[in-house]
Each structure stands twice: as structure tokens, then as C-alpha cells.
Amino acid sequence: MKSQPQKLPQIASPKASDPASTNDIRVRHLTWMILARALDDRMCKLKAQNLVPGSVFTGRGQEAYSAAGGMCLRPGDVFAPLIRDQAGRLAFGETIIDVVRTCMGKRTSSMRGRDGNIHRGNLDIGLLPMISHLGAMVSVVAGMLMARRFKGQLVGNDLTVGMASIGDGGMNAGALHEALNLAAVEKLPFVLLVANNQVAYSTFNDRTFACRDLVDRAVGYGVCGHSCDGTDATACLTTVSDAVARVRRGEGPQMVVATLLRLAGHGLHDPAEYVTPELKSRFGDCIQLDSNTLKVQGILTDADIERIWDDARTRIAAAVEQAMHEPDPDPAQEDWTAYSERDLKKVRS
Amino acid sequence: MTLAYLEAIRLALGESLDEDPRVFVYGQDVAGAFGGAFKVTKGIAERYKDRVLNAPISEDAMAGVAIGAALEGMRPVLEYQFADFATIAFNQFVNHAGTMFWRTGRSCPIVARLPVGGTPGGGPFHSQMPETWLSNHPGLVVVAPATVADAYFMLKDAIACQDPVMYCEHKYLYYHLKAEFDKTRAEHLPLGSAAVRRPGDDCTLISYSGMVHECLRAAEILDRDHGIDCEVIDLRCIRPLDTETILTSVCRTGRVVVATESWPFGGVAAEVLALVSSEAFSHLDAPPRRLCALDVPVPFHPDLFAAHHPDAERIAEAVLETMAF
């Protein structure tokens, strides 16, 4: 059930009002990648300044793949990102200011300081706030899609899409297995983006799975499998958009496996000394690679790329400046209840 | 009409499907003519083929599906074949459903029907009482109906509730407990309230679920043989706990015995005793007592099983000791 990537199709980005040309899409793709990288870098600096509680988890090295996922989704779709999906989150519609606020634990953030960093989300736009337990978000996406089916909204050949991310580590969680099988049984319009970044925290592929390639599992679940080089931006766009297009047409769940390398530790606290120079030498940086390709092909100049970086840093600096002056949560003002029903004695059918 | 406890659950479920298109039922073997391992959905499933769906044996993913559907405005009712298997869904219940409102401000109105409690021959994995571990986590409502009327009204109220409700239905009561039931005349108690099942002045007996009936039997024995007048409280809702009803009674009687079918360590009985000890200490005439299941897994053999959890006779003995203090 493996498919060959087709030629680059049109991608409807949330930000695009008109069908964009292939080159425009590739430039926008790089722009999301750079924005995500610059934002991750700035969060690391804020951590060094002791302005961020907890750790910082970056998507370094996974931007091309993640951004492709976010760009292939539309308003109304559902996206359950994971740890290394800064790029995909932004491309799907997350705002820079909410990233900064949430990492700083601000009262103004979507999680109001009650949760932070990568656990942020915005249910109003279908961006699910992940819990830390790997695989747990997949069945929730399935449930949202089933709800839409109950409501008669999953009809036609241009379906709403649910997308979830997972890694080579999370692929071995029981929750992932249950949920992917269930999504296949229900023939849901679902895409699983698997990022094989070679290492689950510090444990390499040879100690996490025994199959030849994670994409081989697709046929076992009854879903269509796709593979791509996660460091190749164009391959990511082509493969992910093909998988999403199949889902929209009603072909059922798709699984994409991208091969890449996590270019950082698990979190900022982790120097990742276990990643050998030899392993590093086998993988490039998707942003450097794509920048070079776009230059060689005459699509962007050095100055253009520098402008994209400058613009990203300027926007992030403005968000940081704004968030710095916003209030922290106040324990004295906090509404300390985990229940939405204020008085259970008043609940009545 | 006379209704069994299980039939009351079925009635409430069927009416909820009738009345609310947002309600759907999801669980192992619930669909079609089969109607579930205990036949709760029998007859209903055939009426609602599109809203009573079989799930794969994926207890974790079932809960995730319910959470996702609830976020989209549905009112999912999960059937776990045995509450014991809901351990697989523990993560989704406590870490996902239970944290949703606190983290996001969004409600997560799911209902998980959990067939709880022991029956002879059930053994360690088909007999457990999950309310203790579920109640320890904030964000979950945990209810345990003990009467036919409660089985009906509490399920309907659970479906109306905005929070995730763990509805613990006792398997022994399914067919053993029958009562005259007319929903237009039966008492519809609030979801979060405890109930005084038998008023009394001498000692407060507190329990929930199947153990309420052992307490009522103990109260009869004590009244008949010893002239001791027990007040029996059915907690009904474990989380949140109706502390007012408990304290009002204990402050009046000055004596309390709590009986549960679940294990003692850090359990619901321990919680009630902690409440009574800290809030009603000066009103106590005797040390508060608890009777729980023995601190080993639920045994298979009927004789071992019968000895494993409190019964009316042992509860009566504990009350006598409390009265003699």
C-alpha cells in the first residue's frame, strides 16, 4: 500500500487567499521553517535569562516536515501536534504571541499559566493541547472526526482532515497502536505524521523497534503508507500534501514516515552527547538545505533569505516585548477548581 | 412497574438516545442484537444502529474517542465491559478528561459506565472497585448508584453533567436488586448529594454502591437484636463528596462506621474518616471505624470471596464494638 509521491500539488495554506504557485508555496514553506527556528532560538535565550519555567523543547531539524503538515491543513481541520512541531503549529494558525506567553507561563496565554510550553493549544481553531503521554492524542483526533461523522459533516470528496504527529519513540506506545487501528477500522479522514528522528530521548531506533522501516507497519494497520526524506523540504511538501489529498478524497487514514535527525537534545536541558558525529554527518539541516536549493534555483537570493530571518526575529522580538509586560498568574486570584460544574447538586437531566 | 437495577440503566440509556442526538454509546460488544456482555444495550442497540457502536478491544482509545467527541459537542457514553479493564483507560481519564477543564477552560462531558464489584467466581480481574483510584484525581466526577431509582436518574444526570463522570454500576445489583419504579413519582435526588437511606440516632453507617444493602441489613439486625438505631448514609457520589450530610449525621449520632467493598489503603473510607476526625472530632463518642475489603486481590473461590469483603454480620459487630466504647 505504499505510494510514490506525485508532482507537487497545490496546497491551500491558511494564509493563502489565492491559489499560490509552486515557488510561492516553497518560499512560504521556508518562511514557516525559519520563523519556527527563530522562535525556538528565542525561547532558548529566554530560558537562559530565567524567564521561562520548565524546559524548552525545540523542533530543530524537523521544521520542513512539520511545516508541511501545518500548511496542508485548512481552517476547520484538526491538528494534534507533538513536541517538535513549532513549525506546523505556526503554519496551522498558532500565533507567535501565544507561544511566547505560554512558554513564559503568562496569565494571558491560552493555558493561563496552568500548563506550559509544548502543552499549549487552541481548541477554537482545532489545535489540540497535547498531554505528555505519547500516542494519547491520536484517539482524541479520531473522536473529533467521529463526532463530525455523527453530525453528518463528513460527506463528499473534500473532507475535513484530522492530523496527528508522533515520533519513532511514540510509535511503540500502546495508545498509538489502539488509536491507529481504531482510526483505520472507522476509515476516518486521518493522517499520522511520523517523524523518525533516530532517537527517542537518548534511545536509538535499534532499541525501539525491530521492523525494517516504520512505514512497513502501515499495511498492518490497513492504512496507506508514505515515506519521505524529512530533511528535503520539497519532498516533505510533496509527500504530505499527497497524503492529505488522499484523505480529503475519502481514501481513509494515511501514514507518512519522514526520516530525519533531531538537531538538538530532547529539551534544552539535554546536551545530547549520545548523538555521535558519525550520525550527525548523515543528516543535513533542512533549513540550510532548502535555503541553498532555493538560491541555486534562482527563487531566492541571500538578501531575500536574510530578510525572512530579519522579519521573523522582528516579529518575535515584538511578541517577547509584549509578553514581558503581561501579568503572571496570581495564586490569590486563581479559580482553583478542576470542575466546570460549580455545584453538582444543581445538575439535572 | 418492577424494574431491575440493570433495566433502569437500560431505560435511562435508551431515553437519553431518544431525547438527545448528541448521545452515542461506544464499547465492546454493545451493538446489534447481542446488546453487551451484561445486555444493558439489548434492544436499544437495534433501535440506534448508528449511535450504538462496537469498539475494538482498545480501552484507552475508546476513552480518547469520547474525549474528542465531547470536545466536538457530542455526549459520549462509554461502556467498559468490566471496570477492571478501565485501568487501561486510566491515562485518558485522569490525565486527559480530568485535566481538560482546568487546562483549557473547556468542559469534557463524557460518561464512562464501569461495571464494578465482585460476584462469586469473578476473581481478581472482574471484580474490582475503581472508585478509589479514580476519585484521587481532580476533575473527575465519580458516582456509584445503589438503588434502582438512582441507577436511572444518576445516569441521566451524568449525561447532562458538563464534567467527565465515572458511573460505577454494581454488577451484583444488576439483576438481584429490583424495585417498583415510576419515574414520574420516584425521588430524583441531586447528582452530588448523599442520601439518608435509614434515619437513626445511635450510630452512623456510611457506604455506597452494593455495600449500602449490607449496611441496611446490618441496621435491621442491630435494631432487632440489640435495639441499636443506626442511620444509614448512601454516599451516592464519591467525588465530589457530600460532606454536609456526613457531618450533620455524625455530629448528631457521635459514632460512625464506614463500610466499603474496596481496599482500605488511601480509600474512600479513609477519606470519610479523615473528614470526620478533623471536622467533627469534638462530637465523637467513639473512635471512627472502617470496614473494607481485605488487602489482597479479589479471590476466585466463592468461600474466599465471601470472606474478602464486609457483610452485614461483620458490619453489625463493628457497630456493637463502637457502641461499647
Side-chain angles (χ1 to χ4, degrees):
Chain A
M1 293 181 80
K2 283 172 83 170
S3 72
Q4 291 302 311
Q6 299 168 343
K7 69 180 173 53
L8 189 68
Q10 295 290 312
I11 296 170
S13 159
K15 298 290 177 284
S17 52
D18 299 307
S21 73
T22 298
N23 286 351
D24 285 345
I25 291 170
R26 291 172 65 190
V27 171
R28 276 194 289 119
H29 188 207
L30 179 67
T31 304
W32 288 125
M33 290 156 62
I34 288 173
L35 183 61
R37 178 73 61 90
L39 192 46
D40 277 348
D41 288 348
R42 188 60 195 267
M43 290 308 101
C44 292
K45 281 185 189 162
L46 285 179
K47 178 65 192 174
Q49 293 170 276
N50 205 25
L51 292 169
V52 171
S55 195
V56 174
F57 302 88
T58 74
R60 189 176 286 269
Q62 301 190 193
E63 291 92 343
Y65 187 46
S66 180
M71 286 177 73
C72 290
L73 297 176
R74 300 172 184 163
D77 289 338
V78 175
F79 183 34
L82 221 57
I83 312 170
R84 314 204 184 278
D85 277 316
Q86 181 60 78
R89 290 167 183 265
L90 289 166
F92 184 58
E94 184 175 61
T95 60
I96 298 169
I97 186 66
D98 196 42
V99 179
V100 179
R101 284 167 169 162
T102 311
C103 288
M104 296 176 85
K106 293 293 181 180
R107 193 167 77 199
T108 48
S109 71
S110 54
M111 310 309 280
R112 296 166 292 168
R114 294 175 172 192
D115 205 340
N117 52 56
I118 49 176
H119 306 99
R120 65 186 182 272
N122 182 348
L123 289 168
D124 290 338
I125 64 166
L127 185 66
L128 289 173
M130 59 171 277
I131 67 167
S132 301
H133 305 67
L134 295 176
M137 303 309 299
V138 176
S139 55
V140 176
V141 174
M144 293 175 83
L145 296 171
M146 284 172 71
R148 292 176 187 201
R149 179 181 286 166
F150 282 124
K151 291 188 275 190
Q153 296 168 354
L154 284 193
V155 289
N157 55 7
D158 191 25
L159 299 174
T160 292
V161 169
M163 178 182 281
S165 293
I166 199 78
D168 45 296
M171 276 297 279
N172 310 302
L176 186 285
H177 165 71
E178 288 194 6
L180 185 54
N181 177 65
L182 186 151
V185 167
E186 295 292 339
K187 299 180 175 57
L188 294 171
F190 172 70
V191 182
L192 183 68
L193 295 187
V194 185
N196 181 355
N197 68 14
Q198 312 303 311
V199 60
Y201 204 143
S202 75
T203 304
F204 292 98
N205 281 180
D206 64 336
R207 295 295 303 169
T208 49
F209 59 88
C211 58
R212 182 193 62 91
D213 187 310
L214 287 172
V215 79
D216 292 346
R217 293 190 187 175
V219 67
Y221 285 106
V223 309
C224 186
H226 311 254
S227 298
C228 68
D229 175 354
T231 67
D232 180 337
T234 304
C236 290
L237 273 177
T238 306
T239 310
V240 175
S241 61
D242 175 43
V244 171
R246 287 165 180 262
V247 167
R248 288 207 196 281
R249 289 199 299 267
E251 294 182 21
Q254 310 284 313
M255 179 171 116
V256 184
V257 179
T259 303
L260 43 86
L261 179 67
R262 193 187 74 199
L263 299 180
H266 173 63
L268 192 55
H269 55 278
D270 172 24
E273 288 157 342
Y274 44 81
V275 180
T276 62
E278 190 279 324
L279 183 59
K280 286 179 187 168
S281 72
R282 283 164 35 202
F283 293 90
D285 177 342
C286 58
I287 293 182
Q288 283 178 12
L289 290 170
D290 195 37
S291 298
N292 288 339
T293 303
L294 292 171
K295 278 193 291 183
V296 168
Q297 294 179 352
I299 297 165
L300 291 176
T301 65
D302 278 328
D304 292 331
I305 293 169
E306 199 50 46
R307 252 197 313 277
I308 293 171
W309 277 100
D310 285 346
D311 177 59
R313 289 179 181 128
T314 302
R315 293 171 66 195
I316 293 162
V320 170
E321 178 63 19
Q322 181 183 337
M324 294 268 249
H325 295 95
E326 291 179 345
D328 289 321
D330 177 359
Q333 299 294 317
E334 187 63 52
D335 187 11
W336 292 101
T337 178
Y339 295 93
S340 55
E341 297 286 3
R342 296 291 143 152
D343 183 357
L344 210 61
K345 292 180 184 175
K346 291 183 179 157
V347 173
R348 207 164 176 92
S349 52
Chain B
M1 62 177 166
T2 302
L3 212 59
Y5 179 92
L6 178 140
E7 292 167 328
I9 296 169
R10 183 188 290 144
L11 182 65
L13 207 52
E15 286 182 5
S16 298
L17 285 159
D18 292 339
E19 293 159 3
D20 189 345
R22 301 173 304 168
V23 174
F24 72 98
V25 176
Y26 194 47
Q28 282 82 31
D29 307 307
V30 295
F34 187 71
F38 292 101
K39 308 301 167 199
V40 171
T41 54
K42 194 161 180 62
I44 303 172
E46 289 161 301
R47 283 204 333 261
Y48 290 102
K49 290 186 172 65
D50 55 342
R51 283 196 284 144
V52 180
L53 301 178
N54 279 346
I57 301 174
S58 299
E59 284 87 356
D60 174 274
M62 274 168 63
V65 161
I67 292 165
L71 290 174
E72 287 284 303
M74 299 295 286
R75 293 282 170 153
V77 180
L78 299 173
E79 177 176 311
Y80 282 84
Q81 213 151 60
F82 288 83
D84 311 60
F85 303 150
T87 49
I88 307 296
F90 186 70
N91 177 49
Q92 293 286 9
F93 287 158
V94 305
N95 287 317
H96 218 161
T99 64
M100 188 66 76
F101 178 71
W102 167 256
R103 294 169 69 229
T104 70
R106 283 287 192 97
S107 301
C108 188
I110 69 171
V111 176
R113 287 184 37 240
L114 307 174
V116 305
T119 50
F125 312 118
H126 293 72
S127 307
Q128 293 175 67
M129 302 290 289
E131 69 289 340
T132 290
W133 44 270
L134 290 168
S135 325
N136 188 244
H137 286 259
L140 299 180
V141 172
V142 182
V143 302
T147 69
V148 169
D150 273 357
Y152 171 83
F153 287 121
M154 291 182 89
L155 182 54
K156 295 201 81 175
D157 291 346
I159 294 168
C161 181
Q162 291 289 340
D163 290 306
V165 181
M166 305 287 111
Y167 178 92
C168 302
E169 52 193 58
H170 201 290
K171 296 191 291 293
Y172 184 77
L173 302 181
Y174 272 165
Y175 293 106
H176 285 91
L177 184 68
K178 291 179 179 163
E180 283 299 309
F181 181 70
D182 175 351
K183 67 181 179 186
T184 61
R185 299 173 64 184
E187 189 178 15
H188 183 166
L189 296 165
L191 189 60
S193 296
V196 176
R197 296 296 181 200
R198 181 191 193 281
D201 294 326
D202 296 333
C203 180
T204 302
L205 264 176
I206 299 175
S207 65
Y208 57 91
S209 193
M211 197 53 66
V212 168
H213 301 280
E214 294 300 318
C215 286
L216 287 168
R217 217 155 59 77
E220 281 173 30
I221 294 168
L222 289 158
D223 189 16
R224 185 190 65 217
D225 297 347
H226 303 279
I228 295 169
D229 186 18
C230 284
E231 177 145 298
V232 176
I233 292 179
D234 171 6
L235 292 177
R236 299 177 74 248
C237 184
I238 310 297
R239 185 84 144 112
L241 200 58
D242 179 359
T243 56
E244 190 183 335
T245 299
I246 296 169
L247 292 172
T248 301
S249 176
V250 174
C251 287
R252 199 166 48 74
T253 63
R255 290 179 164 82
V256 59
V257 173
V258 186
T260 73
E261 189 179 330
S262 56
W263 292 301
F265 191 91
V268 177
E271 180 64 30
V272 172
L273 292 200
L275 171 80
V276 167
S277 303
S278 61
E279 304 295 322
F281 186 75
S282 61
H283 296 271
L284 290 174
D285 297 320
R289 281 282 303 270
R290 63 173 162 167
L291 277 87
C292 301
L294 299 179
D295 204 10
V296 295
V298 184
F300 168 73
H301 191 278
D303 292 348
L304 295 177
F305 171 71
H308 182 255
H309 55 274
D311 60 12
E313 287 70 24
R314 269 169 272 170
I315 295 167
E317 281 171 30
V319 171
L320 287 175
E321 288 166 16
T322 299
M323 295 304 296
F325 179 82

